[in-house]
Amino acid sequence: MLSQKINFHTHSTFCDGKNSPEEMILSAIEKGFSALGFSSHCMYPIDPKFYTPEDSIWHIPPENIKSYSTEILRLKEKYAEKIKIYLGFEADYFESPEIGSAIPHKQNFSDFSPDYLIGAVHFVNTEKGFFNVDNKTEVVKENLIKLYSKPDGKIDGKKATCDYFEAERLMLKKGNFDIIAHADLIRIRNTVLHFFSEEESWYKEQLKETAKAIAKAGVIAEINTGAIARGNMDDTYPSHNFLELLYENGVPVCINSDAHTTSNLDAAFDRAAENARRAGYTELVYPHNNIIKL
């Protein structure tokens, strides 16, 4: 069992969370958290309306960012004696000549003075179009067929997966952020669609190259329990093999629940801690010198 609980990946009703920031804070206090960081989905300065043909908006609209920041800072002061509160963003990486560019870089978010940034890749952009790897299973399947069908009609799962990890490496090269989110999120629909195998040598090579890129960027890799909490996958991100590579490359890790509800704030934390220990880790590291011994 962890000596204390910290979560820097928290969503609320400002994006696609189900509870208000204050409800999340009150639940965190009740569950014994010492710190809570808010990280609304954000693609600043891109307006997320571009993906409405496929999905409802789950990023905070640009016009709401200021009110979000103001509310988190208000609650930070209100509950200062009970819990440390941090203002952050889960900033999506996206680059397109037609739609625009969103780079998780602290300079790009300087107007809002966040305490930290989480860099994330949800969208893979191709010459034929883009798709969200975390969309509904049937939508991901449709996009894989549309964007990655080979001449024989089969899905080129290797190409789709390599494009995902290449986007992460580009984000790490161009960005300036504190934590990389769910570094192998591409796995989330593979449990049903089976468009690649984690045992193939090319996939393992992608993990090696990405682990090196994470180490070079000097960011923290989160062990994300969100897939377990929502029943999408019976495992954390990253996988055990990926986590071992991160440890070998000297990448610090933290545990984040990616919580969208109060009930999931500390979901599978003990399991994630055990995964960290198995890979060789002895501590968890969070921004602002928050450290937990394992």
Side-chain angles (χ1 to χ4, degrees), residues 48-121:
K49 290 178 182 176
F50 75 88
Y51 60 72
T52 50
E54 286 196 351
D55 201 1
S56 57
I57 290 177
W58 43 279
H59 289 81
I60 185 169
E63 63 269 20
N64 293 347
I65 295 178
K66 187 63 178 177
S67 58
Y68 161 72
S69 302
T70 300
E71 175 64 359
I72 301 306
L73 292 175
R74 181 186 74 83
L75 295 170
K76 182 177 186 175
E77 183 177 348
K78 180 178 179 179
Y79 292 98
E81 294 183 5
K82 295 183 178 181
I83 188 172
K84 289 188 282 188
I85 300 296
Y86 296 96
L87 168 65
F89 295 91
E90 182 179 3
D92 248 298
Y93 170 76
F94 189 90
E95 291 193 274
S96 163
E98 297 79 23
I99 297 167
S101 296
I103 309 293
H105 198 291
K106 291 178 181 179
Q107 184 176 343
N108 297 340
F109 285 80
S110 60
D111 287 347
F112 314 109
S113 302
D115 295 313
Y116 69 101
L117 286 183
I118 297 177
V121 172

Side-chain angles (χ1 to χ4, degrees), residues 87-215:
L87 168 65
F89 295 91
E90 182 179 3
D92 248 298
Y93 170 76
F94 189 90
E95 291 193 274
S96 163
E98 297 79 23
I99 297 167
S101 296
I103 309 293
H105 198 291
K106 291 178 181 179
Q107 184 176 343
N108 297 340
F109 285 80
S110 60
D111 287 347
F112 314 109
S113 302
D115 295 313
Y116 69 101
L117 286 183
I118 297 177
V121 172
H122 291 88
F123 292 89
V124 176
N125 201 20
T126 76
E127 293 180 355
K128 296 179 181 179
F130 65 87
F131 81 109
N132 169 17
V133 302
D134 193 18
N135 212 325
K136 297 175 183 177
T137 303
E138 60 270 22
V139 178
V140 172
K141 182 178 180 180
E142 289 172 5
N143 279 297
L144 288 172
I145 293 171
K146 179 174 70 174
L147 302 174
Y148 290 98
S149 285
K150 296 189 286 189
D152 62 5
K154 294 181 179 179
I155 293 173
D156 192 345
K158 176 181 178 181
K159 181 70 167 67
T161 305
C162 289
D163 281 355
Y164 168 81
F165 283 113
E166 176 62 19
E168 278 202 332
R169 292 192 291 269
L170 283 170
M171 175 183 71
L172 288 158
K173 183 178 181 180
K174 297 181 178 182
N176 178 13
F177 51 92
D178 302 280
I179 301 171
I180 183 168
H182 35 61
D184 50 2
L185 181 64
I186 190 71
R187 296 163 62 219
I188 190 169
R189 304 304 175 198
N190 193 50
T191 54
V192 175
L193 298 177
H194 306 293
F195 57 97
F196 71 90
S197 169
E198 294 183 46
E199 299 306 314
E200 294 188 67
S201 59
W202 65 262
Y203 182 81
K204 294 178 180 179
E205 189 61 31
Q206 287 296 310
L207 297 188
K208 289 180 182 178
E209 292 304 311
T210 306
K212 291 177 183 176
I214 294 171

